[in-house]
């Protein structure tokens, strides 16, 4: 009996040691992930402009003023350097990710969302960007050489480049510039056909259909509550009738609705099964281009699970849609954009 007890104790000690080593390794990986993310924008802040009138009315001396402070409507704001921001792109391609020849075949970014994690308030915000937002887009020739910058729909920026890392970097640059050189810590570009796989990995989501889509899926009747699975989820998030005015605006509303339902469902499932995020990640690897590393993901997943998030935390940029010569054009309300940046990325200090 004593011998059996000793064997049991040895086995238990080995098991406990392995568990402890695993936990330590996990925490070490999280630390490396946080350090990696912090280093990506340690010296970078948005470049919000201040009028001469605002600067002249400042009550703080120039020696006290800090470089990342902004004065707006008589108040002073300080950039929140703890925030982590990621650009999530839905690319209008239905096959696996493969490099393409330099040119315009990289695929357009039909879905653009900034995922913002704030450790200070332990909250999540998502900023939805209309794919037709008119902004600076860099033009490259078939050899990848920069040619010029023009005003165009922001979604076309990803089309330039190699369809993988280069195209993503172009898109990140365009979004960052739209947001006054906002630091972006990482990106994930996912071909839209992966939606079905991602959706089904969490068991699907429930939505009330926002518009009649029975022409493409008989189950998607306006006002009906449906459980989205497989191709139906893909259709609900991706489809739009390009001949219909403001179809992109309507699709963005569906995407916002779906994203809210998906995040809520994924958070519940991830709390029940800690491997959920990794399962999703590995299931769509061939459909995704990302610069988010494994250690960074290890750091981020617990935050996403724990931080506060509700429907009010999905923000849509205000603006006006107009019919252009060939395609719809969305013009951001610059005042509303400026105030959104202050509200999400800054802390009022005076």
């Amino acid at each position: 009996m004593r011998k059996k007890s000793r064997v049991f104790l040895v086995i238990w000690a080995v098991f406990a040691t392995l568990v402890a080593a695993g936990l330590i390794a996990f925490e070490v990986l999280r630390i490396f992930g946080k350090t990696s993310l912090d280093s990506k924008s340690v010296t970078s802040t948005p470049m919000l402009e201040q009028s001469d009138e605002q600067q002249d009315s400042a009550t703080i001396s120039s020696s006290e003023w800090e470089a990342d402070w902004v004065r707006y409507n008589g108040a002073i704001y300080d950039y929140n350097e703890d925030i982590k921001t990621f650009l999530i792109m839905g690319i209008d391609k239905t096959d696996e990710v493969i490099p393409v020849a330099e040119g315009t075949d990289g695929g357009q970014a039909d879905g653009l969302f900034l995922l913002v994690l704030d450790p200070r308030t332990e909250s999540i915000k998502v900023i939805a960007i209309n794919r037709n937002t008119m902004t600076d887009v860099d033009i490259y020739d078939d050899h990848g050489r920069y040619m010029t910058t023009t005003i165009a729909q922001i979604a076309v920026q990803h089309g330039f480049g190699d369809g993988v890392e280069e195209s993503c970097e172009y898109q990140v640059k365009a979004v960052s510039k739209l947001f006054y050189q906002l630091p972006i810590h990482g990106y994930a570009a996912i071909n839209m056909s992966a939606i079905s796989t991602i959706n089904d990995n969490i068991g699907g989501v429930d939505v009330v259909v926002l518009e009649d889509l029975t022409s493409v899926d008989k189950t998607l009747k306006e006002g009906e509550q449906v459980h989205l699975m497989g191709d139906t989820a893909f259709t609900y998030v991706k489809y739009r009738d390009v001949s219909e005015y403001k179809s992109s605006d309507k699709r963005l509303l569906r995407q916002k609705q779906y994203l809210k339902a998906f995040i809520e469902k994924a958070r519940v499932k991830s709390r029940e099964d800690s491997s959920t995020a990794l399962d999703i990640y590995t299931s769509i690897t061939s459909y995704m281009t990302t610069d988010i590393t494994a250690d960074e993901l290890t750091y981020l997943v617990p935050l996403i699970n724990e931080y506060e998030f509700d429907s009010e935390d999905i923000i849509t940029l205000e603006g006006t849609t107009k019919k252009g010569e060939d395609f719809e054009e969305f013009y951001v309300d610059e005042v509303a954009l400026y105030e959104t940046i202050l509200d999400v990325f800054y802390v009022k200090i005076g």
Side-chain angles (χ1 to χ4, degrees), residues 277-293:
L278 182 59
D279 291 343
I280 294 175
Y281 184 90
T282 55
S283 70
I284 63 170
T285 299
S286 60
Y287 294 88
M288 175 175 63
T289 302
T290 182
D291 67 347
I292 302 172
T293 62

Side-chain angles (χ1 to χ4, degrees), residues 162-182:
D162 59 2
V164 284
E165 288 85 1
E166 189 179 47
S167 294
C168 289
E169 289 165 4
Y170 291 162
Q171 190 68 68
V172 168
K173 179 183 176 183
V175 172
S176 174
K177 190 172 183 180
L178 174 66
F179 282 76
Y180 294 83
Q181 306 299 341
L182 175 73

